[in-house]
Every structure is written in C-alpha cells, then in structure tokens.
Amino acid sequence: MRGAVNRYLAGQFARPHGAFGRLIAPLLNQSGAAMMRDAVSALALQPGERLLDLGFGGGALSAAALQAGAIVTGVDRSAAMVARANARFAAAISAGQARFIEGAAEALPLPDAAVDCATSVNTLYFWQDLDTVPRELWRVIAPGGRLVLGWQTADSVRAWPGHIHGFRAWDDAPILSAVARAGFTIGPLSSGHHRMVGDYRTLVALRSMA
Ligand SMILES: C[S@@+](CC[C@H](N)C(=O)[O-])C[C@H]1O[C@@H](n2cnc3c(N)ncnc32)[C@H](O)[C@@H]1O
C-alpha cells in the first residue's frame, strides 16, 4: 500500500496532474520553501530583470521574484501547474510582468537570449540527461546572464523510498561538470538543510558575454 502511495506521489512531484495535481502545489511550495528562498537570494534580482523560472510547480519562487520586481517567464511541463499559475498570477500577467508556458526543459519554448537570468529548483531529478537542459538554459540566457540551480543532495533524494519511482539522485560533481560543459562558468556552490528536504545545494553559474 505504501509503495503504491509513494509511486503516485513520485509521479505527482515529477509532473503534477489531475485533480490532485492542483492540491499538491501548496505542498511543493512548503517543502521547497527554503531552497526557493536561497535561489532567489542567490539570483540577487534587480527590478526589471527578465527571469526564467523553469519547473515553477506551485509558483512560490515566481511569487518572490515578482515581489523583487523581476519580469517572470515560467515554463513547466505540467498543464495543471500552468493553469494554476495563470489563475494565481492573473494580475501580474495582465500587467505584462509574468507569463506561464507549458513546455519541456529539454526544448525550451523560448528564443535565444530571451532572459537575463534563469533558475530551476528541484527539477534536475527528472531531466532526461544532465547535458541537454544546461545547454538549453545557456541558449535562452542572454550573454552576461546568470543561472541558479537548486537540488537535493543524492543522499537526501535516496532518503525518501519513493525516489525509486522516476527520480535520479545525482551527485554534485556530474551536475557541475554538465553545467560547465554547457559553457557556464561555475560560481559559488552553497549548502543548506531543511527538515522536509534534507541537505540541498544552490549553485550560481555565469554565462559568458560571447
Ligand atoms: C518537484 S516540482 C518542483 C517545483 C518547484 N520548483 C519547487 O521547488 O517547489 C518539479 C516541477 O518541475 C516540472 N518539471 C519536471 N521535469 C520537467 C521538465 N523536464 N520540463 C519541464 N518541467 C519539468 C514538474 O512538472 C513540476 O512542476
């Protein structure tokens, strides 16, 4: 019974869907709160900067970025999360401050150099591989821009039995290598801990001017 529940929850974390998908958004916002707060802090957003929030889920990070004055583009493969964000952020969307698009991290539905900075928290466990998404992020971030990634450590991912249903527990080193291979300069890597997610990392990477 517990195995079936874990399998269902893992599927919802990977791509929230159906009636329960909308209910899971507040849980995502709660469990990822510290990680998203650290990511926003690492982004050091300036008012008017264009931010991509990739895999925005429940939207807590997008909300914080809007508060900081950023212009937010959210991309998520979950139609349920996009619908929820379109309702939650209707005022910001009307004001031209935000938009939320259904799409895959592996083929971002954005033109080259579309944003000044990008972030993705708690999504890399679901990427097809470690190289494709950083390359896509490099393409859509304007020269001189920055990327902030947040992830639970491999041990923390493995601590939840449900991770076997589709989560990839990456060590830090291959993540950093893939980000560097995509063309980014690796910046500060910080560590955090939260009772709901265990140990996690926040990485800042810089996209060169070329
Ligand atoms: C575990 S939730 C994390 C949400 C939020 N960033 C947070 O930390 O609470 C993962 C989100 O990323 C989205 N996602 C996962 N893999 C994706 C992919 N390959 N392309 C686009 N979105 C993806 C899921 O649909 C889901 O909304």
Side-chain angles (χ1 to χ4, degrees), residues 13-16 28 36 55 57 76-78 103-106 121-123 126:
F13 293 146
R15 185 195 298 237
L28 292 175
M36 290 188 275
D76 198 297
R77 67 182 178 181
S78 162
E106 292 79 6
V121 176
N122 280 321
T123 70
F126 313 114

Side-chain angles (χ1 to χ4, degrees), residues 52-56 73-77 100-105 108-110:
L52 166 62
D53 182 3
L54 174 59
F56 55 83
T73 296
V75 173
D76 198 297
R77 67 182 178 181
F100 296 91
I101 307 168
E102 188 178 337
L108 288 169
L110 299 173

Side-chain angles (χ1 to χ4, degrees), residues 23-111:
L23 296 178
I24 211 158
L27 175 61
L28 292 175
N29 283 340
Q30 195 186 357
S31 60
M35 298 178 72
M36 290 188 275
R37 187 192 59 226
D38 286 3
V40 170
S41 168
L43 281 163
L45 292 164
Q46 300 299 309
E49 279 195 311
R50 300 164 300 168
L51 170 72
L52 166 62
D53 182 3
L54 174 59
F56 55 83
L61 193 156
S62 290
L66 283 167
Q67 273 209 322
I71 297 168
V72 174
T73 296
V75 173
D76 198 297
R77 67 182 178 181
S78 162
M81 293 299 94
V82 173
R84 186 177 181 277
N86 280 335
R88 177 178 176 188
F89 298 109
I93 294 167
S94 296
Q97 297 290 317
R99 60 183 172 151
F100 296 91
I101 307 168
E102 188 178 337
E106 292 79 6
L108 288 169
L110 299 173

Side-chain angles (χ1 to χ4, degrees), residues 36 55 70-71 81 86 107 126 141 149 166-167 186 189 198 203 208:
M36 290 188 275
I71 297 168
M81 293 299 94
N86 280 335
F126 313 114
I141 296 173
L149 290 179
F167 282 60
I186 300 298
L189 175 68
L203 171 72
S208 62

